[in-house]
Every structure is written in C-alpha cells, then in structure tokens.
Amino acid sequence: MRKRSLPLTILKLFGVLAIAAWSILPIALIVMSSFKSDRDIFSLTSRFSFTPTLANYELLWSRWGDFFHGLWNSFLVTSGATVLAVAVSLLAGFAYSRHASRGLQASAFFLIFIRLIPPIVITLPLFPVVNWLGLNDTHLILIVLYATFFVSLGTIVMRTFIDQIPRELDEAAMIDGASQFQIIRRVIFPLAAQGMLAVAVFVIVYAWNEFLFAFIFTTTKAKTAPLVVAEMIGAVEGVEWGVLFAASAVQLLPVLAFVILMQKHLVAGLTAGAVKG
Amino acid sequence: MASRTPLSALALVSPVQLMVGGIIFLPAIYVFWLSLNQSSFGQAASFVGLANYAKVLGDPYFWRALINTVIVVAVVVHVELLLGLLMALFFASGVPFRALLLAIVLAPYAVSEVSAVVMWRYLFEPDVGMMSQALAWFGLPPIEWAVKPSHGLFMVSLLSIWLHLPFSFIIIYAARLSVPDELYEAGAIDGATRWIAFRRITLPLLMPALLIAALFRYIFAFRLFSEVWLMTGGGPARTTEVMAVYLYLEAFRYNSFGAAAATGWLLVLASLLLALFYLRSLYREMFRKHA
C-alpha cells in the first residue's frame, strides 16, 4: 500500500470541501436566509450568525396564499403522474423483458426515439386541443404530460430490473395456470419494487419541479408551486427576497430530503436507464 | 427465427405506446404540417409551403437564438463532462465520508430551475450578493446579467451546469466503478505511471459512458428553456434568447404559429441529428440480438 503524504491529504480535503461547497452552499444559503430578517439578508456581518425569525414564513402565509394552493397542486399532480408512469412502465417493462420479436423490438426502439423530441415542440399542437377538450388548467393534463414524458425511460428501467428476476418464477406460475396479469401482480410486482422505486424517484423529482408545461397549460386552478415562485421572482416592485427564500425553501426541502433518502435508487435508475438503454 | 408476439404482450405495451404515440409522436408530426401553413389561434390554416422556414431563417432573432443555444450547449456540456470526470476520478481515488459526500453531490438534482434561479441571483446580486462581493474583493466587476447579454448567458450556463452536474457525474462514476482493479494492478506491474494508467486504461474504458452522458446532455441542453426564461426572460432586447424561448415567444406572444412550428421542427431535426449515431448503433444492437 502506498503511503499518503501530508500535502496530498490536505489537497484531498480541500477537494472535498470545494465539491461540498459547490453542491450544497447555494441550497444552504437559501434555507438559512429564509430565517433572516430583511436587514440581515444582505448584511456581511450576519452571514452565518443571526437571530432566526419566522417573519418570512408568516408573510408567505398571509400574503401568498396562492403558494400553498400551488404546493397542493404540485402534490396532486406529482402523485398522479408517478402512479400512472410507474404502472404503465411496469406492464411494458415486463412485456419487453419476457418477449422478443421484431415488432416488439421496433416498438422499443420507437420509445427511445421519441425521447429525443423536445417537449416545447408538442405544446404547439396540444395547446388548442387541450383548450378544446376543456383540459386547460386541470391537474389531469399535467399528470398525463408528465407521465408520458417519463414512460420511455420508465419502461427501459423496469425492463432492466425485471430482466434480473428469474424467468423460472413466472414460468412456474404459468404452469400453475396464472394469467399474464396475475403473474405481474403476484410474482413480478413484489420483486420489482426496487425498479418501481427507481422510476418513481425520477417522476417525482421531474413532476415536482417541472416549469414549462405548467407555465403553458395552467393559469390559476392547477397552477403548481414552481410557477408561484416564478411569479414572486418577477414581482414588479423589486424582489422581496425574504418571502422568496421562504417559498423556495418550502418547495425545495421535501424533494431534497426524498432524493437523499432514495439516492441508491436514483443512482441505480440512472445507470440502468442511461447506460444500458 | 419465427417472430410471434403473444397478444397479451401487445396489450401490456399498448398503454405506453398509446401515451407516447398520441401525446408526443402525432403532435410532432402535426407540427410539421403546421410549419407548412399560415395559422394562428382560431384561424383556419392556409398552405404556404416553406414560407415559414424562409421567414424564420431570415429572422436575425432566430440566428441570435441559435448561436446563443450553440454557445450555451457547448459550454455547459463540455464543462459538465470535464467536472464530472474529475469528480468521478476523485471519488474513485478514495474520499473521506464517501456516502455523505455522494449525497451532497446529488443534492442539486432535487432542485427546481426556479429555486436555482433564486439562489444564483441572490449570490450574484450586484453590489450586495456574496459572489459579487467576492468578485469585488478580487477587483473584478459584478455580473450584470440583466444588462449585458454575455453575462446573462454566463449565468444561464453556470446555473445549468450546477443543476445537471449530478447526472453527468453519476453516469461517469458508475462506469469508473465498473473498471476492474486488476487492470490497474497489471498496469502498475508494467511500470505505468498514473498519467499513463489514465490514458491507457481509464479513459478508453470510460469513453462509452462519456459519449452517452455527452449525448443525453447535448439533447437535453438543446431544449433549454426555464433557466433562460427565469433568469433573463430572453432580454435585454431579445439578446439572450435560446431556441426554445424564441419558439415560445413566436407562438404564445406574437401569435405566429407557422414560424413557431417551423422552429419546432428545426429543433426536432437538430435533436435527431445529434442522436443519429446513437440511434444507429442502438438500432443495430437491438435487431442483431433479437432478429
């Protein structure tokens, strides 16, 4: 074993600090500043030591009720999109894992190909159609759009995970007279939990944070939290930083905690989806 | 080999195919038709051939947007790959608190573009922001993203790199972890220095992952919208627009659906062109394995 010299250890520590600062400092700063009074927000002396206050959160509550409505919408849309995307990806992932034919291969290729089309392009024809169907400013339209933009990746990830489940298990079930659907429910579903979690992580992070579709397809009733934060950034009489920080912190922290908890699944999904897909 | 697909398998893939076909593929085709017509909201379309393309290609704002997009994509993707590679190698060489550090590195993945814009605007707020003060301490002027186009694009690039570095990093790091240690041991026996080991072992084995990461990031960076929209709104005077912002403004502000559709179809073509190599190898691999 090579022995580490002191300068190398110091250099390494410096690298660790630099990486950590780059990744977490902007986030920490926002969360910290959301507890600062207006006076302390841009003050040099109170950068890290200050008297915490909940004033910004109170202001957010009293003046931006819209924001909490937006959070609720975000929650509904994210849940709906996640359930839909995971369910249909599971079914398709199973089919692609267990069957192979030219037709199926072509359809799998089509799925990957479709991921290349930029979302903004399809807003042009969808906008009038969505209006005509009366789906503008509804949760449903966002749920369907978010799920649709993730089922390609979801299917690839599910196929990769289901490939690791021994075929003998479903063949045995088939001999016992189980239908395809029963096999998925009884055999695959419990064993593919890892994969479903991986897909769910992607959809949750995407749907919770998405801006473009929400910007184009919602106005008031189904407006999501990122849109309200964007409105706060663009407020005419100068930016009210404190309230903005409070809103950002509330929007950011649940999904940040979620990603940290689920990081193993996130990494597994990323490598299964991107490298093997 | 006889290719037969059980009906049940088709039934299982049909929800996914219907969603993707109905909500992405058909509309994308329809955009092509739109791009050949003169139309706006509530207006009957009339066929104009390639006039919309001519209009878009003759619009200096379009070229500005295209050049901005190419610059931002080139900077963002390459800086990201370089930083991702350096970080992956750094992690692989053994770091203290590895699990904790990994969680920290992944954190920006959870952040919305909106919150990221809030953060970086706060950091670079002229005169009072932490980074502006740091710049001033080095005798440098503050970043005036709302006034100077190049500064606006700089902020957009910085933001994008910050948000997407976790993606590039993870792909490269996963590939680095799958390189067997024996190769380095064998290399060490043969007297390879660190640099030679990197050139001859690490880099070639990481190449496929680097290419995949680059490809995905090119395609996703090319459709860049929210960061620009929220940071500069495309201003001042339409100088920081990127392709998606140009498309949005044409369609939803200037009601020029034909021009927007032409831009959209150009975006699709560009994305496909970027992915051509990947699609070709994917196609070969898929049909060789199962045909």
Side-chain angles (χ1 to χ4, degrees):
Chain A
M1 213 35 218
R2 202 181 324 114
K3 254 186 128 181
R4 285 249 157 70
S5 58
L6 188 66
L8 200 72
T9 312
I10 293 172
L11 207 67
K12 199 149 229 183
L13 218 59
F14 184 75
V16 169
L17 284 177
I19 289 177
W22 157 265
S23 303
I24 208 83
L25 205 63
I27 302 176
L29 220 53
I30 276 226
V31 176
M32 225 162 57
S33 301
S34 73
F35 294 105
K36 285 183 184 176
S37 64
D38 278 353
R39 195 164 35 87
D40 286 340
I41 280 176
F42 281 113
S43 147
L44 260 179
T45 46
S46 51
R47 182 146 284 151
F48 294 104
S49 69
F50 56 93
T51 323
T53 162
L54 287 175
N56 295 320
Y57 288 89
E58 279 157 15
L59 224 57
L60 180 67
W61 180 258
S62 60
R63 276 213 300 195
W64 289 89
D66 233 22
F67 173 73
F68 293 93
H69 185 232
L71 270 184
W72 176 241
N73 286 333
S74 283
F75 175 75
L76 290 178
V77 167
T78 304
S79 318
T82 308
V83 171
L84 180 61
V86 170
V88 298
S89 301
L90 173 71
L91 301 183
F94 175 74
Y96 287 122
S97 170
R98 296 309 195 235
H99 303 282
S101 70
R102 267 197 105 75
L104 267 186
Q105 284 303 306
S107 79
F109 183 76
F110 174 71
L111 277 187
I112 297 170
F113 170 80
I114 222 74
R115 278 179 81 191
L116 304 174
I117 294 176
I120 195 167
V121 173
I122 64 133
T123 63
L124 296 173
L126 279 187
F127 189 77
V129 175
V130 167
N131 260 336
W132 181 69
L133 290 171
L135 288 177
N136 203 339
D137 205 14
T138 60
H139 299 119
L140 183 66
I141 184 63
L142 290 186
I143 289 175
V144 171
L145 283 172
Y146 294 166
T148 302
F149 270 87
F150 257 86
V151 288
S152 294
L153 178 70
T155 303
I156 296 164
V157 171
M158 282 319 303
R159 186 188 61 189
T160 314
F161 277 93
I162 294 175
D163 274 341
Q164 290 158 15
I165 300 173
R167 274 163 166 258
E168 289 75 25
L169 290 179
D170 36 305
E171 278 159 12
M174 202 148 45
I175 292 166
D176 291 342
S179 69
Q180 292 269 315
F181 194 70
Q182 280 170 325
I183 292 173
I184 292 177
R185 209 168 50 131
R186 299 268 172 78
V187 182
I188 302 298
F189 186 81
L191 293 173
Q194 295 267 336
M196 291 191 292
L197 268 176
V199 175
V201 177
F202 284 112
V203 190
I204 288 171
V205 172
Y206 169 71
W208 184 259
N209 290 329
E210 206 276 345
F211 181 78
L212 176 68
F213 285 144
F215 181 54
I216 291 179
F217 290 107
T218 71
T219 45
T220 45
K221 291 199 298 287
K223 194 162 66 178
T224 55
L227 253 78
V228 186
V229 179
E231 277 170 24
M232 296 169 82
I233 298 178
V236 203
E237 7 57 86
V239 184
E240 288 177 277
W241 286 102
V243 187
L244 188 56
F245 292 150
S248 292
V250 174
Q251 197 270 335
L252 165 92
L253 286 177
V255 73
L256 180 68
F258 177 75
V259 161
I260 289 173
L261 270 171
M262 294 284 145
Q263 58 155 301
K264 219 179 68 196
H265 301 284
L266 176 74
V267 173
L270 262 177
T271 44
V275 180
K276 291 168 196 157
Chain B
M1 200 179 113
S3 51
R4 61 185 180 84
T5 312
L7 228 55
S8 58
L10 290 181
L12 292 175
V13 300
S14 59
V16 164
Q17 295 290 345
L18 272 176
M19 282 163 80
V20 158
I23 294 172
I24 308 180
F25 185 67
L26 284 182
I29 299 294
Y30 187 67
V31 170
F32 179 62
W33 183 84
L34 272 179
S35 75
L36 301 176
N37 285 272
Q38 185 70 54
S39 76
S40 190
F41 293 115
Q43 221 186 345
S46 61
F47 187 78
V48 292
L50 293 176
N52 287 319
Y53 289 90
K55 184 188 162 208
V56 165
L57 294 177
D59 184 356
Y61 290 121
F62 170 81
W63 288 101
R64 183 78 200 227
L66 179 64
I67 291 167
N68 285 345
T69 310
V70 170
I71 293 173
V72 170
V73 169
V75 169
V76 166
V77 176
H78 296 128
V79 171
E80 234 177 70
L81 287 177
L82 185 67
L83 288 178
L85 177 65
L86 287 175
M87 262 164 62
L89 297 180
F90 183 65
F91 265 78
S93 75
V95 290
F97 315 109
R98 203 187 62 96
L100 178 68
L101 196 61
L102 201 61
I104 289 176
V105 165
L106 282 178
Y109 185 83
V111 177
S112 62
E113 285 104 339
V114 181
S115 292
V117 167
V118 174
M119 287 169 199
W120 290 94
R121 275 171 82 146
Y122 174 49
L123 283 168
F124 280 96
E125 182 70 9
D127 304 330
V128 281
M130 204 169 160
M131 289 307 289
S132 302
Q133 285 171 347
L135 287 174
W137 193 78
F138 285 111
L140 294 166
I143 303 288
E144 297 172 287
W145 69 84
V147 191
K148 293 185 181 155
S150 59
H151 289 195
L153 292 177
F154 168 81
M155 286 294 280
V156 166
S157 307
L158 186 64
L159 192 71
S160 254
I161 294 168
W162 186 79
L163 274 171
H164 301 287
L165 188 59
F167 175 86
S168 303
F169 162 73
I170 283 296
I171 301 233
I172 300 168
Y173 183 48
R176 173 60 189 81
L177 287 185
S178 67
V179 176
D181 281 340
E182 290 82 41
L183 286 178
Y184 294 102
E185 283 157 20
I189 290 166
D190 291 343
T193 60
R194 282 182 162 222
W195 173 243
I196 290 180
F198 171 74
R199 281 265 314 276
R200 298 282 172 79
I201 304 171
T202 313
L203 203 57
L205 287 172
L206 290 191
M207 221 18 129
L210 282 168
L211 284 176
I212 284 283
L215 177 88
F216 276 104
R217 289 297 301 128
Y218 280 133
I219 291 168
F220 283 90
F222 207 75
R223 50 178 75 161
L224 177 80
F225 177 83
S226 332
E227 288 102 316
V228 180
W229 185 255
L230 294 163
M231 182 61 82
T232 69
R238 304 195 66 177
T239 47
T240 57
E241 278 177 27
V242 288
M243 296 276 279
V245 172
Y246 177 84
L247 188 160
Y248 173 82
L249 288 175
E250 285 295 316
F252 298 99
R253 184 165 299 168
Y254 307 124
N255 283 329
S256 178
F257 247 51
T263 312
W265 196 250
L266 290 173
L267 263 177
V268 173
L269 282 182
S271 299
L272 293 183
L273 211 65
L274 278 173
L276 201 62
F277 179 71
Y278 167 69
L279 284 174
R280 230 172 69 111
S281 65
L282 187 75
Y283 183 86
R284 280 194 182 151
E285 190 190 332
M286 285 175 101
F287 286 91
R288 193 184 56 224
K289 254 199 304 206
H290 294 287

